[in-house]
């Protein structure tokens, strides 16, 4: 399925989603903060059904840096590499892992060739900003990237 990258229109009445569970997990990327725990909650509840794809680990590493800056070696031992990671389109046609860097690293160390992922295109990601300020900044950022 070919994805068409397009300019985003700012929604003036944007309201961040509300999470039902207590534990809140976010992925900060500059001033953008993605609401990871709400994405996972909506996937598990069947409210959101993102595209599932397998990531070829070797090919991914050729075009992406590894998220090792916050890697917790103790946590790495307990992660389940069968649980899909989440990759998101954070700039046009470029995806980054926003949840599952430990799973990705463990799969790499175990010599696995690929790992399951949920692939979120920009329009999938928009409802999952933690706050309105981050959402508005992202829309502006995204539209400037389209001009490059």
């Amino acid at each position: 399925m070919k994805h068409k990258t397009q300019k985003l229109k700012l929604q003036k009445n944007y309201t961040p989603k509300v999470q039902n569970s207590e534990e809140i997990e976010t992925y900060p990327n500059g001033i953008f903060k993605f609401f990871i725990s709400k994405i996972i909650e909506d996937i598990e509840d069947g409210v959101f059904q993102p595209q599932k794809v397998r990531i070829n680990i070797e090919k991914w590493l050729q075009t992406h840096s590894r998220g090792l800056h916050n890697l917790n070696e103790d946590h790495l031992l307990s992660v389940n590499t069968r649980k899909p990671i989440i990759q998101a389109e954070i700039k046009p046609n470029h995806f980054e892992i926003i949840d599952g860097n430990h799973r990705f690293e463990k799969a790499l160390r175990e010599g696995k060739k690929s790992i399951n992922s949920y692939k979120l295109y920009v329009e999938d990601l928009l409802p999952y900003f933690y706050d309105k300020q981050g959402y508005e900044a992202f829309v502006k950022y995204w539209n400037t990237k389209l001009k490059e």
Side-chain angles (χ1 to χ4, degrees):
M1 176 170 85
K2 182 87 169 135
H3 175 73
K4 184 181 177 195
T5 302
Q6 59 190 9
K7 186 175 181 178
L8 298 176
K9 184 177 179 188
L10 190 66
Q11 298 173 9
K12 293 192 187 297
N13 296 327
Y14 180 85
T15 304
K17 287 187 170 244
V18 176
Q19 181 174 317
N20 297 326
S21 62
E22 297 285 323
E23 188 177 325
I24 293 177
E25 179 184 356
T26 61
Y27 176 83
N29 187 335
I31 61 171
F32 320 131
K33 194 186 293 186
F34 305 113
F35 203 175
I36 302 301
S37 49
K38 183 60 179 169
I39 293 170
I40 294 168
E41 181 180 87
D42 283 357
I43 290 170
E44 289 175 351
D45 290 346
V47 174
F48 177 42
Q49 297 176 345
Q51 181 182 7
K52 292 181 185 178
V53 298
R54 289 193 65 78
I55 292 176
N56 179 302
I57 293 172
E58 186 178 313
K59 286 183 181 178
W60 182 273
L61 291 173
Q62 291 171 1
T63 57
H64 296 80
S65 62
R66 289 163 62 187
L68 299 178
H69 52 277
N70 290 327
L71 196 65
N72 177 332
E73 291 290 334
D74 293 332
H75 177 62
L76 192 66
L77 299 172
S78 67
V79 298
N80 178 355
T81 59
R82 287 188 229 156
K83 180 181 174 186
I85 63 174
I86 299 174
Q87 59 171 312
E89 188 175 24
I90 58 158
K91 59 184 173 185
N93 300 308
H94 183 79
F95 292 80
E96 289 293 338
I97 297 171
I98 63 169
D99 181 62
N101 281 303
H102 284 87
R103 282 170 269 155
F104 185 91
E105 182 64 22
K106 185 173 183 178
L108 173 67
R109 291 181 187 186
E110 290 178 345
K112 295 187 181 202
K113 301 286 184 209
S114 61
I115 191 165
N116 288 320
S117 77
Y118 293 114
K119 189 172 190 175
L120 279 64
Y121 290 95
V122 69
E123 61 271 8
D124 299 324
L125 190 59
L126 290 177
Y128 295 101
F129 280 88
Y130 190 71
D131 57 33
K132 187 175 181 176
Q133 177 187 1
Y135 160 77
E136 290 174 349
F138 182 82
V139 169
K140 291 174 189 170
Y141 158 83
W142 178 271
N143 290 337
T144 61
K145 290 295 180 188
L146 286 175
K147 297 173 187 173
E148 293 178 359

